[in-house]
Amino acid sequence: MGNAELHSIHIHPVKAFRGQAPRQAVVEPWGLAGDRRWVLIDAEGKVVTQRQHPRLAQAAAELLPDGGIRLSAPGRTPLTVPVPEVTGTTTVDIFGTKVQAVLAGDDAHAWCGGYLGEDVRLLHMDDPATRRAVDPEFALPGDTVSFADGYPLLVTTLASLDALNALIAQGDRAQEGPLPMNRFRPNVVVSGTAAWAEDDWSRIAIGEVSFRVAKMCGRCVVTTTDQDTSERGREPLRTLGRHRRFGNQLIFGQNLIPENPGTIRVGDPFTVIA
């Protein structure tokens, strides 16, 4: 582990959209600055993700310096969306949890709805310090999260991806591999570890920032979605089900909660504290 380091950083400004890979990022208590602060909801107020709409994999969101975003997608003219003024909030149902957020403008709703062919609205989380708590079973009082699935950050490792791809190559869907890391939509990717070493981590540090390892990350159908074409297959869930089943979850990666703010940079040393 002496040579372990931060290999890459990934920020997804809009949940379920394609993200970007900066060389450095600010770690805030609720996640990387700008990560998953925007979300789509359907006509019933429920969160919209690649689970229902794999085409979102081809929609991109570029984070702008003022917190706004620039949306682009195949067949759509790019649209710049500013951070909306807080004149009121709307309820977002994110996997059964009710969260308050601020509606973007009508042009943003029309752009997203036109791409998906469905009535959707785009919202922004104005105050992540207060809007959504982390599951208290795996968090401390006051821990909050953006519109990520449940935790501020997700870490994966290159060694575990290599090991998983080797298992896929031995299986009955070998033609679907090897899979790239973007199938798992992590925030931080670490190199220089042993495969599956993350199973035993409880506290880690990346550069100047330390993190609690909250829980293993259970994977869903999004991982079977090609992030370039939106096409779906059977892997990696088929192989994870055979080799990485923990209870009723198929595991790849670990969820993190920051212990202190700071800036992380590609190449920063990675250490296991406990």
Side-chain angles (χ1 to χ4, degrees), residues 95-174:
F95 312 132
T97 299
K98 301 298 193 293
V99 182
Q100 295 301 306
V102 183
L103 283 167
D106 290 342
D107 56 346
H109 309 326
W111 190 98
C112 296
Y115 177 64
L116 291 181
E118 182 176 314
D119 180 17
V120 296
R121 290 173 290 168
L122 180 67
L123 292 95
H124 178 257
M125 183 180 285
D126 59 312
D127 185 10
T130 64
R131 291 298 186 195
R132 184 181 176 214
V134 178
D135 184 345
E137 182 179 354
F138 302 99
L140 297 177
D143 286 338
T144 62
V145 61
S146 64
F147 286 123
D149 275 4
Y151 298 88
L153 284 90
L154 171 66
V155 60
T156 59
T157 72
L158 293 182
S160 293
L161 180 63
D162 288 345
L164 177 61
N165 277 326
L167 292 171
I168 291 173
Q170 298 166 15
D172 57 3
R173 305 288 294 187

Side-chain angles (χ1 to χ4, degrees), residues 10 14 23 31 39 42-43 52-53 56 66 83-85 92 94 113 126 140 174 182 204 219 227 229 265 274:
H10 304 273
V14 180
R23 298 289 297 177
V39 70
D42 63 17
Q52 306 97 335
H53 288 285
L56 286 174
D66 62 358
V83 174
E85 294 185 10
V92 177
I94 180 164
D126 59 312
L140 297 177
N182 65 5
I204 63 171
R219 310 313 307 217
Q227 297 294 296
T229 67
R265 301 170 178 84

Side-chain angles (χ1 to χ4, degrees), residues 54-245:
R55 286 190 69 215
L56 286 174
Q58 295 177 275
E62 177 189 356
L63 184 65
L64 302 177
D66 62 358
I69 49 176
R70 183 175 185 270
L71 304 178
S72 59
R76 306 295 294 175
T77 300
L79 177 70
T80 297
V81 182
V83 174
E85 294 185 10
V86 183
T87 58
T89 61
T90 296
T91 300
V92 177
D93 182 341
I94 180 164
F95 312 132
T97 299
K98 301 298 193 293
V99 182
Q100 295 301 306
V102 183
L103 283 167
D106 290 342
D107 56 346
H109 309 326
W111 190 98
C112 296
Y115 177 64
L116 291 181
E118 182 176 314
D119 180 17
V120 296
R121 290 173 290 168
L122 180 67
L123 292 95
H124 178 257
M125 183 180 285
D126 59 312
D127 185 10
T130 64
R131 291 298 186 195
R132 184 181 176 214
V134 178
D135 184 345
E137 182 179 354
F138 302 99
L140 297 177
D143 286 338
T144 62
V145 61
S146 64
F147 286 123
D149 275 4
Y151 298 88
L153 284 90
L154 171 66
V155 60
T156 59
T157 72
L158 293 182
S160 293
L161 180 63
D162 288 345
L164 177 61
N165 277 326
L167 292 171
I168 291 173
Q170 298 166 15
D172 57 3
R173 305 288 294 187
Q175 71 276 12
E176 292 190 28
L179 301 182
M181 189 64 86
N182 65 5
R183 289 290 188 96
F184 302 95
R185 299 177 63 84
N187 291 114
V188 288
V189 180
V190 175
S191 63
T193 70
W196 315 123
E198 62 270 25
D199 291 351
D200 299 319
W201 298 341
S202 58
R203 291 181 67 226
I204 63 171
I206 299 173
E208 64 186 28
V209 184
S210 61
F211 303 86
R212 302 194 312 276
V213 180
K215 68 182 294 289
M216 294 178 171
C217 185
R219 310 313 307 217
C220 71
V221 69
V222 171
T223 61
T224 69
T225 307
D226 187 310
Q227 297 294 296
D228 294 321
T229 67
S230 298
E231 296 178 358
R232 279 192 172 148
R234 298 291 298 278
E235 295 292 2
L237 294 185
R238 193 172 182 88
T239 296
L240 290 175
R242 291 171 173 167
H243 299 278
R244 295 286 299 167
R245 184 181 294 275

